[in-house]
């Protein structure tokens, strides 16, 4: 018997053992979210063992939860998932970046909790230059807020270059020899990566679990179910490439609507272009799914 519940909880205590729909072993069950909890999933089943739940959660569900457009939407909807903390809207801006312009400089962006604003900090940069009168100089660029570090930096650079340390007096004079530059409206270039790896596994896993919940035990023996199961469990990212699938929408699928009903407590987490269907034609034919169209 399959258990379907829209509250995110099972309607009865976990059984001591069941046939896992992935590894097909008799094992202790776990609470499996068909749509990952991190995207607001409330449909649960107890037909996935702890081991499969854990492995697939790390490799497959995470691919969906951490997919950049999904994270952005999760941030907007404050969907936390297991971690208890939803993604932050600003996270894609954090880290090292490059200011484009006359002086190409590396900066580091963090989020200032006090001001609730992004904070850009010039990263330490050292280069050798030749002045107009032919003298060789070491030019250090630091964030203006790190001015107090200048004496220490001078002594460190001198040591690194085999020069004697300056006296206090010399150091004071040298430390005052700097210019401050303000970069107005800087153009910042940063790299944002979005991985598609295992995204298809994640969607096939949802389709597979929905199909099982809809069609019951017989579905586990279906050749397409077998192909899906094998591909989903395979750690090779290319394992789903040869799965015969076609694109369709879920509008006509009553069962899908029963599985996934947006309510006040369940914010619809998917873009409208993303629909999925587990149709009865799966038995002996093929799996229907539509991939997100970002
Ligand atoms: Zn299992």
């Amino acid at each position: 018997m399959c258990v379907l519940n829209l509250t995110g909880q099972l309607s009865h205590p976990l059984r001591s053992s069941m046939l896992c729909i992935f590894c097909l072993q008799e094992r202790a069950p776990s609470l499996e979210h068909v749509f990952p909890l991190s995207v607001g999933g409330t449909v649960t089943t107890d037909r996935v063992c702890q081991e499969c739940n854990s492995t697939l959660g790390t490799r497959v569900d995470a691919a969906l939860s951490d997919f950049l457009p999904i994270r952005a939407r999760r941030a907007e909807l404050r969907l936390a998932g297991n971690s208890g903390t939803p993604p932050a809207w600003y996270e894609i801006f954090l880290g090292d970046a490059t200011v484009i312009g006359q002086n190409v400089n590396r900066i580091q962006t963090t989020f200032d909790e006090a001001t609730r604003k992004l904070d850009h900090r010039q990263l330490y940069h050292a280069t050798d230059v030749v002045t107009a009168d032919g003298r060789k100089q070491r030019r250090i660029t630091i964030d203006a807020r790190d001015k107090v570090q200048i004496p220490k930096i001078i002594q460190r650079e001198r040591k690194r270059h085999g020069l004697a340390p300056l006296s206090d007096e010399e150091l004071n004079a040298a430390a005052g020899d700097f210019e401050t530059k303000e970069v107005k409206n800087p153009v910042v270039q940063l790299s944002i990566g979005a991985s598609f790896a295992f995204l298809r596994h994640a969607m096939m896993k949802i389709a597979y679990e929905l199909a099982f919940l809809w069609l019951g035990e017989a579905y586990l023996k279906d050749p397409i179910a077998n192909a899906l199961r094998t591909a989903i469990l395979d750690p090779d990212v290319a394992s789903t490439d040869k799965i015969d699938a076609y694109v369709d929408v879920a509008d006509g699928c009553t069962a899908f609507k029963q599985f996934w009903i947006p309510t006040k407590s369940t914010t619809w987490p998917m873009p409208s272009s993303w629909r999925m269907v587990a149709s009865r034609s799966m038995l002996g034919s093929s799996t229907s799914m539509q991939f997100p169209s970002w």
Side-chain angles (χ1 to χ4, degrees):
M1 179 195 135
C2 74
V3 177
L4 175 64
N5 194 310
L6 296 175
T7 65
Q9 301 295 319
L10 293 171
S11 56
H12 63 81
L14 287 177
R15 290 166 285 192
S16 60
S17 169
M18 52 82 222
L19 181 76
C20 172
I21 61 171
F22 283 103
C23 62
L24 302 183
Q25 305 286 313
E26 280 286 338
R27 283 182 166 160
S30 64
L31 179 65
E32 159 72 359
H33 286 80
V34 174
F35 296 88
L37 185 64
S38 53
V39 296
T42 55
V43 182
T44 56
T45 173
D46 65 349
R47 287 298 301 272
V48 180
C49 76
Q50 185 58 56
E51 200 170 286
C52 288
N53 197 338
S54 170
T55 307
L56 294 174
T58 306
R59 183 174 63 231
V60 179
D61 291 341
L64 184 68
S65 310
D66 294 339
F67 186 57
L68 191 64
I70 296 282
R71 280 192 80 83
R73 189 82 169 121
R74 286 178 58 204
E76 188 184 349
L77 297 172
R78 310 280 300 157
L79 292 172
N82 286 321
S83 73
T85 310
W89 62 265
Y90 50 79
E91 65 178 24
I92 58 170
F93 301 110
L94 302 183
D96 291 4
T98 308
V99 176
I100 307 297
Q102 275 187 321
N103 295 307
V104 176
N105 281 320
R106 299 287 296 162
I107 59 162
Q108 189 175 59
T109 304
T110 54
F111 184 72
D112 188 330
E113 288 291 345
T115 61
R116 306 292 298 164
K117 284 182 178 168
L118 293 173
D119 180 53
H120 308 289
R121 179 172 282 271
Q122 165 74 49
L123 290 173
Y124 182 94
H125 179 69
T127 184
D128 290 321
V129 294
V130 179
T131 60
D133 56 7
R135 285 185 302 130
K136 269 175 75 179
Q137 266 189 351
R138 186 81 169 152
R139 181 175 293 162
I140 313 286
T141 308
I142 56 170
D143 193 274
R145 289 167 288 185
D146 295 332
K147 262 196 302 197
V148 65
Q149 306 283 339
I150 291 176
K152 209 162 80 181
I153 292 169
I154 291 173
Q155 298 291 49
R156 193 178 61 206
E157 283 287 335
R158 288 185 67 85
K159 190 175 177 188
R160 192 172 290 161
H161 289 81
L163 299 168
L166 296 178
S167 68
D168 286 352
E169 202 177 318
E170 290 168 326
L171 190 58
N172 273 340
D177 181 19
F178 65 82
E179 58 175 295
T180 308
K181 241 190 240 173
E182 190 179 350
V183 184
K184 284 199 173 141
N185 301 321
V187 179
V188 176
Q189 176 181 299
L190 69 158
S191 304
I192 299 172
S195 171
F196 287 78
F198 294 107
L199 197 57
R200 187 155 48 169
H201 289 70
M203 301 183 70
M204 286 187 173
K205 176 173 171 274
I206 295 169
Y208 173 78
E209 290 181 348
L210 283 179
F212 169 72
L213 291 176
W214 182 22
L215 302 170
E217 303 296 326
Y219 178 65
L220 299 180
K221 296 196 172 77
D222 180 77
I224 299 295
N226 184 47
L228 278 174
R229 187 167 54 232
T230 306
I232 293 164
L233 284 173
D234 194 332
D236 180 358
V237 73
S239 63
T240 54
D241 289 0
K242 293 200 174 98
I243 299 269
D244 186 23
Y246 67 88
V247 172
D248 204 345
V249 293
D251 290 353
C253 177
T254 313
F256 180 86
K257 289 180 178 171
Q258 287 169 350
F259 286 142
W260 192 252
I261 305 165
T263 64
K264 275 186 181 168
S265 61
T266 316
T267 311
W268 182 261
M270 304 289 182
S272 58
S273 60
W274 183 347
R275 311 265 179 78
M276 189 185 311
V277 63
S279 83
R280 283 191 186 276
S281 63
M282 272 182 176
L283 286 173
S285 60
S286 56
T287 307
S288 311
M289 82 171 33
Q290 181 171 310
F291 294 103
S293 57
W294 304 295

